[in-house]
Amino acid sequence: MKPIRKAVFPVAGMGTRFLPATKVMPKELFPVVDRPLLQYAVDEALEAGIEQMIFVTGRGKGMIEDHFDMAYELEHTMAERSKDRSVLEGTRLRPGDCVFVRQQEPLGLGHAIWCARDIIGDEPFAIFLPDEFMVGSPSCMTQMVKAYEKLGGNIVCALEIPMEATPSYGVIDPGYRDGPITEVKGLVEKPPAGTAPSNLILPGRYILQPEVMRILETQATGAGGEIQLTDAMAQMIGKQPFHGMTFDGKRYDCGSKAGFVEANLALALAHPEIGAAMRATAEKLLAE
Ligand code: G1P
């Protein structure tokens, strides 16, 4: 079984839900307390043993390249002043382990992933949707890699949500269940209200076999007129093992304003430096 060495991060989206904050600033670099959202996803990948990060970017996303580069002046000045540079850990990846490709047109998540096909080559790979923020120990992807080592094939993260929210997500048609593992019998992207096969959705973490790239090559448009990753994955079911894994941890949907603010609140309250003060502030605000 080939190990998971590469990960794709689709980061080309315009982030219109967060305008005007996203007019210049990529939403993937919004901080949750003091780390950019995308940094948490890269940290998660590194913890899972993934070596090469492939960012599918677009125009106006140059700041992401700078974030993962060496900031020479900053590091030099910090070293001169004997400041602790460990806060920059994980931001400067090994030369060659950080790859950028551009998705020229917003044709959908499936198309964004397909843009990385030549870099993925013939290896299984991971996908992280960085606005889905996963907090867990071990991390979500570490748990998924463990499941992959047992089951092989394709593993998607699976999450139970209220049935009425399913039209916003990719949804699993479940087969047998064995602890956190669910057999995936089918997948449907953004089912109309009342038609979802379950309330088990895809919250943005995937381990896929490279054959999905061949399927995406000719994939017709699906929900919302976009080339959907979910539709391509659905075509692999029956041909390769396909399982969902319920993750032991907490998920924040940072693609929504409420989820993003909740993540900031939760991490601030748990923060070793500011947690206690934040709790006092929150109690004061609630009492007002
Ligand atoms: C995408 C995927 C969907 C998944 C969701 C998770 O949808 O297409 O299957 O459930 O991310 O956030 P989007 O949020 O880009 O519409």
Side-chain angles (χ1 to χ4, degrees):
M1 188 187 293
K2 288 187 185 169
I4 310 300
R5 297 191 315 121
K6 302 182 180 187
V8 181
F9 301 78
V11 292
M14 287 191 286
T16 47
R17 272 190 272 176
F18 281 90
L19 280 169
T22 45
K23 188 176 170 189
V24 179
M25 177 80 169
K27 70 171 174 182
E28 296 80 10
L29 293 183
F30 284 7
V32 174
V33 185
D34 50 11
R35 286 179 96 69
L37 262 177
L38 184 54
Q39 184 68 57
Y40 288 105
V42 167
D43 294 344
E44 189 187 328
L46 290 168
E47 190 201 297
I50 292 168
E51 294 164 9
Q52 189 176 54
M53 314 299 161
I54 304 158
F55 301 95
V56 181
T57 71
R59 286 176 294 283
K61 298 279 181 153
M63 248 185 242
I64 294 177
E65 286 190 49
D66 290 341
H67 177 80
F68 290 104
D69 195 3
M70 180 180 186
Y72 183 78
E73 294 82 351
L74 177 69
E75 293 204 21
H76 180 74
T77 309
M78 287 177 84
E80 257 185 359
R81 296 183 185 169
S82 307
K83 294 230 166 153
D84 178 15
R85 282 177 290 160
S86 66
V87 285
L88 296 174
E89 224 165 84
T91 65
R92 200 196 328 148
L93 302 169
R94 262 188 356 176
D97 281 352
C98 199
V99 181
F100 296 86
V101 291
R102 277 197 180 200
Q103 183 191 27
Q104 286 115 334
E105 290 174 89
L107 300 178
L109 176 60
H111 179 260
I113 302 304
W114 175 79
C115 290
R117 66 199 175 282
D118 283 348
I119 303 149
I120 293 300
D122 198 24
E123 287 187 39
F125 64 104
I127 301 172
F128 293 76
L129 306 191
D131 56 9
E132 292 281 3
F133 177 30
M134 304 300 210
V135 180
S137 183
S139 75
C140 180
M141 188 53 72
T142 302
Q143 295 176 32
M144 288 176 67
V145 167
K146 286 225 174 77
Y148 170 75
E149 284 166 356
K150 268 198 216 137
L151 300 163
N154 303 273
I155 312 269
V156 288
C157 188
L159 179 83
E160 273 188 54
I161 61 161
M163 202 64 185
E164 58 275 17
T166 52
S168 303
Y169 296 99
V171 183
I172 295 175
D173 181 3
Y176 74 82
R177 291 195 186 199
D178 178 12
I181 300 300
T182 302
E183 177 196 7
V184 176
K185 289 197 333 193
L187 288 166
V188 42
E189 180 68 12
K190 301 198 172 67
T195 69
S198 76
N199 65 339
L200 209 52
I201 63 121
L202 305 175
R205 294 291 183 277
Y206 313 78
I207 290 176
L208 298 179
Q209 295 298 319
E211 285 76 24
V212 74
M213 293 296 193
R214 255 67 84 203
I215 299 171
L216 284 167
E217 190 106 27
T218 53
Q219 185 69 46
T221 55
E226 297 190 337
I227 299 171
Q228 295 292 355
L229 176 64
T230 304
D231 296 343
M233 292 190 301
Q235 290 196 48
M236 301 213 286
I237 297 165
K239 298 180 190 132
Q240 300 185 353
F242 215 116
H243 296 93
M245 187 211 76
T246 308
F247 142 72
D248 179 16
K250 175 96 177 112
R251 167 250 189 179
Y252 300 95
D253 172 13
C254 289
S256 79
K257 284 176 202 167
F260 175 68
V261 174
E262 184 193 349
N264 267 288
L265 194 56
L267 268 77
L269 289 172
H271 197 278
E273 269 166 46
I274 62 167
M278 283 309 301
R279 188 162 299 274
T281 306
E283 277 162 8
K284 189 168 147 264
L285 287 172
L286 285 170
E288 272 172 20

